[in-house]
């Protein structure tokens, strides 16, 4: 579905702070996202109050945020607990 995946510096910084177990779950969620943004386990939805930022579920506690940019590019923005949804 996507021609390219970009990881924002903020995503990389967040990702490196996660435990190896959670990092593995993040990678699994990204693979699902690339294959099918509507996969039920992701529960992907637009972040309330935004037009271009989406969130997807990694685990019950963790989320990742992303944008779909021109040229069919998936840009991963942040990853972490629900608190990441409060920061841009």
């Amino acid at each position: 579905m996507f021609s390219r995946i970009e990881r924002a510096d903020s995503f990389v910084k967040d990702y490196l702070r996660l435990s190896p177990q959670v990092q593995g779950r993040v990678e699994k969620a990204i693979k699902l996202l690339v294959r099918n943004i509507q996969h039920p386990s992701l529960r992907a939805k637009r972040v309330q109050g935004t037009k271009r930022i989406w969130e997807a579920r990694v685990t019950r506690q963790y989320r990742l945020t992303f944008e779909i940019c021109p040229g069919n590019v998936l840009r991963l923005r942040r990853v972490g607990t629900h608190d990441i949804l409060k920061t841009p």
Side-chain angles (χ1 to χ4, degrees):
M1 176 179 182
F2 297 101
S3 61
R4 192 172 79 234
I5 299 173
E6 294 179 354
R7 295 173 189 243
D9 291 343
S10 55
F11 181 89
V12 174
K13 187 183 287 187
D14 292 342
Y15 180 86
L16 293 174
R17 291 181 180 149
L18 301 173
S19 71
Q21 181 182 16
V22 175
Q23 287 178 354
R25 298 292 297 267
V26 170
E27 293 302 323
K28 182 179 178 183
I30 292 169
K31 288 177 186 176
L32 287 174
L33 188 60
V34 168
R35 284 190 210 128
N36 178 9
I37 194 172
Q38 296 177 340
H39 192 281
S41 69
L42 295 173
R43 298 184 186 184
K45 62 183 177 183
R46 195 168 280 129
V47 173
Q48 190 172 17
T50 71
K51 293 183 181 183
R52 295 180 27 193
I53 302 172
W54 293 69
E55 70 171 283
R57 183 176 179 163
V58 174
T59 68
R60 292 176 87 191
Q61 185 177 7
Y62 287 87
R63 302 289 183 270
L64 64 83
T65 62
F66 64 95
E67 292 177 77
I68 301 170
C69 300
N72 222 14
V73 174
L74 175 66
R75 183 171 186 271
L76 302 171
R77 302 181 80 242
R78 301 292 311 266
V79 62
T81 61
H82 267 112
D83 292 341
I84 65 159
L85 300 176
K86 297 176 185 172
T87 58

